[in-house]
Amino acid sequence: MALNARAVRQASACLALALSLSVSTVALAADSLTVFDWAGYEDPAFHPKYTEKYGNEPDFSFFGDEEEAFQKLRSGFKTDLAHPCSQSVLKWRDAGLLEPLDTSKLTNWESTLPGIKGMKDLMTTADGKAWFLPFEWGNTVTVYRTDKIKPEEIQSLKAFADPKFKDRVSIGNNVDDAYALASLAIGLKDWTVMTDDQFKQASDFLRAVHKNVRLYWTDNTEIGQAMASGEVDLAWAWNETPTTLKKDGVPVEMKKDTDEGLSTWVCGYVRVKGAEGSVDRAYDFLNAVTDPAIAGYLVDSWGYGSGNAKGMATVDPAVLERTGYADVEKFTANTLFQAPVPSDLKQKMIAEFEKIKSGY
């Protein structure tokens, strides 16, 4: 009888410990925030008000491209917020990965640039639900070493496939940017209506580019180092690359006036379904990154435009002129906007790009 009583006491103690640990774990999760992001966006200068309020940084996990992020989320990866771009929001939403945003908790929702706010099925859906909070926007554009390449040599995007640039080229390890380049090169500005024949033309162009590729870059640090060292002279890259390299004295420029144009995208934050972290922290982070005071740093140091109209209005006009944001209409002229493409076409792009990178 005594033995049984001891066993009961031990079992009760174990149960109490387990319950305590469970409660502690839940409490810890509810007091945390995890952000699934591109490398570099953990920069504390993007969310100073969040840090000021909580005294610490969010937990960040990183992805190399949005397809990688999509597959990881579908497999059960837990995060509270994520940072997709315009071409992926619809796909993520249709896959049931996202939680609607409560706009009453978003301080800067109404300050979004009108041009972005008016994009169909991006920030909101027809039923009035909000899904996507724009943060930054910019280009994928021709970037080149001015001491190695003359601008007239790259007046056409077809230069990326020119044999004289063999082993001197880099494009992103990113299916969207790759097919944006290829679509433009074959004269297509709206890739949402790409035909089978145009898809073949675009893929054939990327195969020709592959012969010149020194590396498929995964983030700004990688392509920045490659261009700074002279390993790469010609790149299809984001505004961030020339912005940071020029500050370091590297002779690079963007060429936005190529015959076929450039690509434009918008990226921002979404809430992920099944998030286990603090809802209050999530909205405090979203309000921190869209604070108008962040715009100047985003434009000047990263070369990207802020999605916040009030923020853009505070940026030094000289900085806007230098970075190309002084005239938004001119900025987006002659561009392929990376809008969501039909899911079957996107899957074809993903499969074909993997073959191309493997040399097939």
Side-chain angles (χ1 to χ4, degrees):
M1 189 71 175
L3 181 61
N4 288 340
R6 185 182 303 130
V8 169
R9 286 196 300 270
Q10 289 175 338
S12 297
C14 288
L15 178 60
L17 177 61
L19 288 172
S20 175
L21 290 173
S22 177
V23 171
S24 297
T25 301
V26 171
L28 184 62
D31 197 34
S32 65
L33 178 69
T34 301
V35 183
F36 196 26
D37 219 322
W38 303 90
Y41 284 87
E42 73 278 16
D43 187 341
F46 283 147
H47 51 262
K49 286 191 175 180
Y50 178 93
T51 308
E52 180 183 336
K53 180 171 181 177
Y54 292 103
N56 55 34
E57 298 293 307
D59 295 320
F60 283 90
S61 293
F62 303 105
F63 54 85
D65 65 34
E66 288 154 280
E67 183 60 23
E68 174 197 336
F70 176 75
Q71 295 300 337
K72 195 169 181 178
L73 290 172
R74 281 217 306 182
S75 68
F77 176 75
K78 294 296 183 183
T79 185
D80 302 302
L81 301 172
H83 191 170
C85 300
S86 45
Q87 66 274 17
S88 297
V89 176
L90 178 63
K91 179 180 178 179
W92 289 25
R93 191 168 63 221
D94 286 351
L97 297 177
L98 306 184
E99 186 81 19
L101 294 166
D102 182 351
T103 58
S104 70
K105 296 180 179 179
L106 293 172
T107 308
N108 304 301
W109 176 261
E110 296 299 333
S111 299
T112 303
L113 284 166
I116 297 176
K117 193 181 296 185
M119 292 176 183
K120 185 180 178 182
D121 212 27
L122 181 61
M123 292 175 64
T124 59
T125 43
D127 58 7
K129 291 181 180 178
W131 301 91
F132 175 76
L133 179 64
F135 173 49
E136 88 278 35
W137 54 282
N139 303 128
T140 310
V141 63
T142 301
V143 180
Y144 66 104
R145 287 277 306 231
T146 58
D147 57 336
K148 304 286 189 65
I149 296 176
K150 297 176 181 178
E152 56 268 27
E153 294 181 277
I154 52 172
Q155 185 58 41
S156 169
L157 294 180
K158 292 181 174 63
F160 282 91
D162 190 325
K164 74 178 179 181
F165 294 120
K166 183 174 175 57
D167 295 329
R168 299 167 63 190
V169 166
S170 182
I171 67 173
N173 187 17
N174 179 314
V175 65
D176 298 303
D177 283 337
Y179 271 94
L181 170 63
S183 297
L184 286 163
I186 66 169
L188 181 65
K189 289 289 195 304
D190 182 0
W191 65 359
T192 66
V193 295
M194 181 182 286
T195 64
D196 289 343
D197 182 58
Q198 288 170 328
F199 176 74
K200 183 180 184 304
Q201 292 178 49
S203 300
D204 287 346
F205 176 76
L206 288 177
R207 284 189 168 83
V209 173
H210 176 76
K211 296 176 182 178
N212 289 345
V213 169
R214 180 75 173 183
L215 64 90
Y216 288 95
W217 59 267
T218 57
D219 57 39
N220 182 63
T221 299
E222 185 175 22
I223 183 57
Q225 290 175 345
M227 294 200 81
S229 68
E231 182 182 5
V232 167
D233 298 330
L234 178 63
W236 183 242
W238 303 326
N239 310 71
E240 179 185 356
T241 299
T243 299
T244 54
L245 286 176
K246 289 172 76 171
K247 286 180 178 291
D248 291 336
V250 181
V252 298
E253 287 291 347
M254 286 186 289
K255 186 166 179 58
K256 291 187 172 184
D257 64 347
T258 55
D259 294 339
E260 300 87 354
L262 67 167
S263 182
T264 299
W265 41 260
V266 178
C267 300
Y269 287 94
V270 294
R271 287 197 67 206
V272 177
K273 185 174 286 188
E276 298 175 345
S278 166
V279 174
D280 288 341
R281 282 180 176 251
Y283 281 99
D284 283 335
F285 178 85
L286 294 175
N287 290 331
V289 296
T290 53
D291 189 308
I294 302 302
Y297 176 71
L298 182 62
V299 175
D300 189 31
S301 296
W302 284 61
Y304 298 144
S306 169
N308 187 296
K310 291 181 179 178
M312 289 298 283
T314 68
V315 180
D316 183 341
V319 172
L320 291 176
E321 187 66 35
R322 172 171 54 78
T323 52
Y325 290 91
D327 185 338
V328 174
E329 289 187 8
K330 183 177 179 181
F331 185 95
T332 56
N334 199 25
T335 190
L336 178 149
F337 178 67
Q338 292 192 20
V341 298
S343 58
D344 57 339
L345 175 58
K346 184 63 175 284
Q347 290 308 311
K348 283 172 59 177
M349 288 177 172
I350 292 168
E352 199 69 13
F353 190 45
E354 289 304 312
K355 291 180 184 177
I356 291 167
K357 290 188 296 181
S358 300
Y360 295 103

